[in-house]
Amino acid sequence: MNRSSIQLPPGLLPAAEARLEQMIADIRTLVEVETPSSDLEAVAAGAAEVARLMRERLGAGPETIVIDGVTHLRLRFGDGPARVVLVNHQDTVWPHGTLNRLPFTAEDGVLRGPGVFDMLTGLVMSVHAAALVAQSGRPLEGLSILVTGDEEVGSITSRDLILTEAAEARAVYVMEAAADGALKVARKGVAMYQVTVHGRSSHAGLDPEKGINAGVGLGLLLPQIAALSDPQAGTTVTPTVLSGGTTTNTVPAEARVQVDSRAASRAEQERVDAAIRALPEPIPGATVTVTGGINRPVMPRAAAEELLAEARRVAAELGLAEPEAVEVGGASDGNFTGGAGIPTLDGLGAAGAGAHADHEHAIIAEIAPRTALLAGLISARL
């Protein structure tokens, strides 16, 4: 579907600008429903608020899908398979009470608040872009809007839902935030591990020699784990959260580390996976166990190239600046669809910065133009 010109519904950009005040109000509503991924009741409450928003803005309510206690939403128009899928999540990394110190604000051209950049602005843009297409008189048949509830913890329960919904899609648009305004056309694959060293406890003062110090063993393994990185190949292997031991006067019988690995190729993912699983016994008598594995495949640039070209044509017809494109190390649900060879373009959500950080923010002036761009992309592929 390589087209040199696209016939867009007229007036998308002014129509999006007319919706801006309502979009900001909708973003505020979602931000103020705190949805930390670990609290399944909170995620369900957030999903209910999103469902209400969909009914009010689109006149149609989504299907609620609960998998292993995690609530997801799917709003599909028409009876056939989805041709365009908008991928969103409404869970956040922020714990309850964050709003007390980081309340939602809309000041000086910037929206602030937990989740406003990652990715509640993009979610609201999805709903309003679909409404713009419907408002123009174009049917929405073939459009699917997914809103998952566990992206921030690895999409364990939503991965199959996403892949099934997108299996026959002409385009998957991932509404994660932009990278300095640029669209994301490739992402590294992700693997997550826990490496645990098992030793034997003993009294640290009376008979330390009778113990097998798991902490010392883990300490010896950490440089080996970090050395699995390959900067030339773009592979990072990073020990992150460390824990172990019980009391200050006890030789630790167990110590563990979480490991985050990112790679730009499947071969590198498999190399690291094999090496971590083959870590040696660090000290006599200690044993090593490894849990976890490859979580998200690589999202290759090839999956995005055609959609990127289309985004640039749509932007030109709307009178917008040509979107830039970047390859990033962070992962998203676009890794699943792009890794499966489904046309996928990511980073279509908010422009701003500060994902997972106190300075998280979205730029107000970018919301309407990016919503119009998304509406144009939906129209071009339905």
Side-chain angles (χ1 to χ4, degrees):
M1 193 180 291
N2 194 1
R3 290 168 279 188
S4 59
S5 64
I6 299 170
Q7 297 300 313
L8 298 180
L12 283 181
L13 184 54
E17 290 169 341
R19 288 177 166 268
L20 181 58
E21 184 176 344
Q22 184 63 70
M23 283 194 278
I24 293 172
D26 291 343
I27 294 165
R28 176 173 192 155
T29 296
L30 297 188
V31 169
E32 292 183 343
V33 181
E34 294 183 304
T35 54
S37 307
S38 59
D39 187 333
L40 300 188
E41 289 185 3
V43 170
E49 194 61 45
V50 173
R52 182 196 63 77
L53 178 64
M54 287 178 166
R55 287 191 293 269
E56 290 186 1
R57 304 289 172 256
L58 293 169
E63 177 185 2
T64 298
I65 302 169
V66 180
I67 303 172
D68 294 338
V70 183
T71 304
H72 314 293
L73 302 175
R74 176 175 60 195
L75 178 56
R76 187 195 295 172
F77 294 89
D79 297 326
R83 294 193 291 269
V84 174
V85 180
L86 308 183
V87 177
N88 305 265
H89 68 86
Q90 57 95 17
D91 63 313
T92 77
V93 300
W94 297 101
H96 287 295
T98 301
L99 281 169
N100 295 333
R101 64 181 185 85
L102 297 174
F104 177 89
T105 61
E107 300 172 352
D108 302 322
V110 171
L111 303 182
R112 298 185 186 276
V116 72
F117 182 65
D118 182 13
M119 59 171 293
L120 298 174
T121 294
L123 170 51
V124 169
M125 288 167 59
S126 290
V127 175
H128 282 266
L132 282 173
V133 176
Q135 181 180 316
S136 75
R138 298 275 183 98
L140 292 177
E141 184 173 354
L143 175 66
S144 176
I145 303 176
L146 282 179
V147 184
T148 66
D150 64 353
E151 192 275 343
E152 294 291 5
V153 289
S155 304
I156 303 302
T157 72
S158 56
R159 173 178 181 159
D160 289 345
L161 172 64
I162 293 164
L163 285 170
T164 300
E165 189 67 6
E168 299 183 49
R170 299 170 181 168
V172 173
Y173 296 119
V174 183
M175 298 306 298
E176 293 284 358
D180 293 325
L183 302 178
K184 298 173 181 177
V185 294
R187 289 181 179 271
K188 290 182 180 180
V190 178
M192 296 180 292
Y193 302 94
Q194 178 173 287
V195 177
T196 304
V197 176
H198 305 273
R200 183 171 62 238
S201 63
S202 66
H203 195 289
L206 296 177
D207 47 10
E209 71 283 353
K210 294 183 179 180
I212 300 173
N213 196 314
V216 171
L218 181 62
L220 294 171
L221 288 182
L222 291 177
Q224 298 180 52
I225 294 170
L228 296 174
S229 296
D230 185 342
Q232 289 188 333
T235 303
T236 59
V237 182
T238 308
T240 56
V241 180
L242 297 155
S243 60
T246 53
T247 67
T248 59
N249 60 352
T250 302
V251 171
E254 187 173 287
R256 65 203 68 83
V257 62
Q258 305 293 327
V259 180
D260 177 291
S261 177
R262 314 269 168 151
S265 71
R266 179 69 184 185
E268 275 294 281
Q269 285 190 294
E270 291 175 350
R271 176 188 69 81
V272 172
D273 187 81
I276 283 186
R277 297 186 190 284
L279 285 169
E281 174 186 289
I283 56 176
T287 60
V288 179
T289 60
V290 176
T291 56
I294 296 171
N295 171 258
R296 284 185 166 95
V298 175
M299 174 183 159
R301 185 168 183 133
E305 290 287 14
E306 185 178 334
L307 296 181
L308 173 63
E310 191 156 271
R312 287 173 168 167
R313 292 195 295 271
V314 170
E317 293 201 24
L318 291 172
L320 303 175
E322 179 177 288
E324 295 183 5
V326 294
E327 301 181 11
V328 298
S332 81
D333 289 332
N335 287 69
F336 299 136
T337 57
I342 302 166
T344 300
L345 188 60
D346 205 334
L348 283 152
H356 301 191
D358 282 5
H359 67 284
E360 180 173 11
H361 66 276
I363 299 170
I364 293 174
E366 295 288 342
I367 295 174
R370 295 178 75 85
T371 303
L373 174 64
L374 178 61
L377 288 170
I378 294 169
S379 299
R381 288 273 154 167
L382 280 182

